[in-house]
Amino acid sequence: MEILTGIAVCPGVAIAEAVVLNTEDYRIPRRAVPAGEVSAQAEVLSAAITVSIEEIRTQMDLVSHRLGHDAGDVFNWHIGVLQDPQIQRSIENLIRERKYSAAYAVSTIMRNYQRRFMQMSDPLLAERIRDVQDIERRLLRNVLGESREDLEHLSESSIVVAHDLSPTVAVSLGHANVAGVALDVGGSTSHTAILLRALSRPAVIGAKDVSTRVSGGDLVIVDGSGQMIIAHPDEETLEQYRARQQTYTRIERELIQLRDLEPTTQDGVRVELMGNIEFASEAATCVEKGADGIGLYRSEFLFLRAEGPPDEEEQYQAYREAIEGTRGRPVTIRTFDLGADKYTQERQYEQERNPMLGLRSIRYSLQHLDMFKVQLRAILRASVLGEVRLMFPLIMSLMEYRQAKMTLHDAMEDLEEEGLPFNPHIEVGMMLETPAAALQCREFAREVGFVSIGTNDLVQYLLAVDRGNERVSRFYNMTHPAVIRVLRDVIRTCAKAEVACSLCGEMAGQPLYTLLLLGLGLRTFSMAPASIPEVKKLVRLTTLAHAERVARKALTFETERQVSNYLRDMTRKLLPEDPI
Ligand code: PEP
Ligand code: MG
């Protein structure tokens, strides 16, 4: 039995065989082949090595021709690895002696090889990991050829194990037979984590080297509540987890029955529970889960398509679908939050050194005004189809907000001249996600239509902890006393100014923080639709007076650990069985 720890993304327990994806997101098939196929697999390996070497030679000629011999020499190292008799022998031995498939043998040996480089302290040698990954990818492509299997055709419920998942693949898991997910990298509020949460399958990420430790076909438990991945569990552990799984299934069934009940506390305070969506089609899921509307539509996910950036009409159609899907409830469209871990980096010749502090979000939009205006036109045109609100992300100064609003007015004037209808009174707000905006909340409250607190970013910038980096994830703490105080002040300032205030970071959907946020005065929570029933259950079990007592007490602690322990105790009292 092997136990790996990571960061829980989605609670619950999944037990199934693993499907391991390589870095190009395709499956490495199961381990063993029948005895009669062993020789054929050895031949597949040998042919794949030959083809891979030929490919590299061709590339090397091209590159040397253009950039000189030194650049081409990089490939010599790749050829050297592929020709290394010891490596070839190790792979072949696995095929002949253990009857491994060629692909499985290649991935086992190449991952062992990668691990050797991972342990090297010399940064130049450690850099070789990328080369080894590259060689593995090439060799696997040639071994698997056309037999590459995609996830859509998984016949049995499986646990997907990978180093990382691109958002596109993460989204495709929704239609696949996937019970749970385990990844090497990622932080709890990284965008892949957000997408996985939307799928509501147990997931643990940031587990460092799970993709090299687990092999296709291994039995794996993903404990999304205990933040653990257990490979090759013994009988006793398996029994324990099967029992837990049954409890969760029962709880889930009970939660569905809450759908049509109001999120009102025992002393009569009605809160609003809204959905966060990444794709227009999720609007219907929000309604199914009992959402009061959409509090955050992450429109930048429109860029994650094969066809390139979305034009005005494509955007309009997506916004229309979201508005119609919510059947009369409000829809808050956030303008593109590109940059950082979304889209722009991988398309840049020279990547930013600190992308989280770089040209992202509203800054990117204001530097790409043509793109920004197209989006604003599409949102404005859609604004006549329902109750549409618009918000700008990562606002850091009043100047920035004013500039964004000016661009919006330009777009309005253009539409007016063209005679196209739009709502000139569309509500416009800001996302409050920087410490600067929190400190200037009073000034902002005089100008903005509403405030939506983005704690995923606010926490990262307050604590100076990259939200997507698993190496510092233990410092990414939403219960840090500084975070709670900032939230208290922002919520209070907005209330005084009578400006609507919601919270749409991951915190809003985690029952652990429900009492605290309610007690701090928050009345609008926006979260992954899957989290709505659980939060609603908790709201209905408490009173405002109790939540206020919890918040007051939480504000007296000096350390994040005291705050989390206290909140866990208070939440468990109300939800003794639920995974929190
Ligand atoms: C946030 O930062 O809290 C937020 C909701 O926006 P995103 O997660 O898309 O950055
Ligand atoms: Mg954000």
Side-chain angles (χ1 to χ4, degrees), residues 334 337 360 431 433 457 467:
R334 169 176 79 183
D337 186 7
R360 65 167 294 208
M431 283 196 71
E433 338 185 56
D457 278 314
R467 63 191 264 193

Side-chain angles (χ1 to χ4, degrees), residues 37-70:
E37 260 184 51
V38 165
S39 298
Q41 287 297 304
E43 277 165 30
V44 166
L45 170 70
S46 151
I49 292 176
T50 310
V51 173
S52 300
I53 293 172
E54 276 166 17
E55 280 177 7
I56 297 173
R57 288 221 165 97
T58 313
Q59 259 177 333
M60 192 160 76
D61 287 347
L62 271 172
V63 174
S64 308
H65 186 64
R66 266 192 286 134
L67 301 173
H69 275 294
D70 285 351

Side-chain angles (χ1 to χ4, degrees), residues 170-192:
V171 169
S172 75
L173 298 186
H175 311 288
N177 206 351
V178 171
V181 177
L183 303 180
D184 293 345
V185 299
S188 65
T189 60
S190 62
H191 287 99
T192 299

